[in-house]
Amino acid sequence: MIERLKKLFAVPDSEPVKPDAHQLAVAATALMVQLSRVDNDEDERELKTIVDCAVKSHQVTREEAEEILQDALAHAEDATSLYEFTGQINDHLDQEQKQALLESIWHVALADGRIDKYEEHLIRRMADLLHLNHREYMQARHRAEGAG
């Protein structure tokens, strides 16, 4: 997964380009999969929410989202560091886009009807790594809770 993300975001130095929706969906899905695994209870509702969020937020088809999810799940054990995922995202998303991503991550956490303390801790860590302040973190959470 990490290698695939690196390839997706890799561009020659001479041409700085923004990643496309599919590339961002892969990165976002990878973060959401990490979250779904933190409570050691991979809930079907969480996995469905990951796919729904990818489709809604990143203009990918449901089939592409399912494929991205399966790839992320298959490589989740390899993803030992959030830094690689968040580093790529920080390079390519603005604050508003990163806050929307965090909102999607909250949707995944809320999918099973409860927020586990480990999930909350991991989301806080992701917010910090995405350079989102406490207000942005709370706004994303409140929007996700309001939509649920």
Side-chain angles (χ1 to χ4, degrees), residues 50-105:
I50 291 171
V51 171
D52 292 345
C53 286
V55 171
K56 188 177 102 187
S57 306
H58 304 289
Q59 298 87 42
V60 294
T61 66
R62 185 155 295 280
E63 294 73 33
E64 287 175 314
E66 292 279 356
E67 184 181 308
I68 292 166
L69 173 64
Q70 291 311 314
D71 186 46
L73 287 170
H75 295 89
E77 298 302 318
D78 306 339
T80 55
S81 170
L82 295 174
Y83 297 105
E84 295 202 50
F85 295 126
T86 56
Q88 298 293 337
I89 290 167
N90 282 328
D91 289 345
H92 298 287
L93 296 185
D94 62 26
Q95 285 302 104
E96 193 175 307
Q97 292 168 313
K98 291 190 291 187
Q99 197 174 4
L101 170 60
L102 194 68
E103 185 180 338
S104 293
I105 291 168

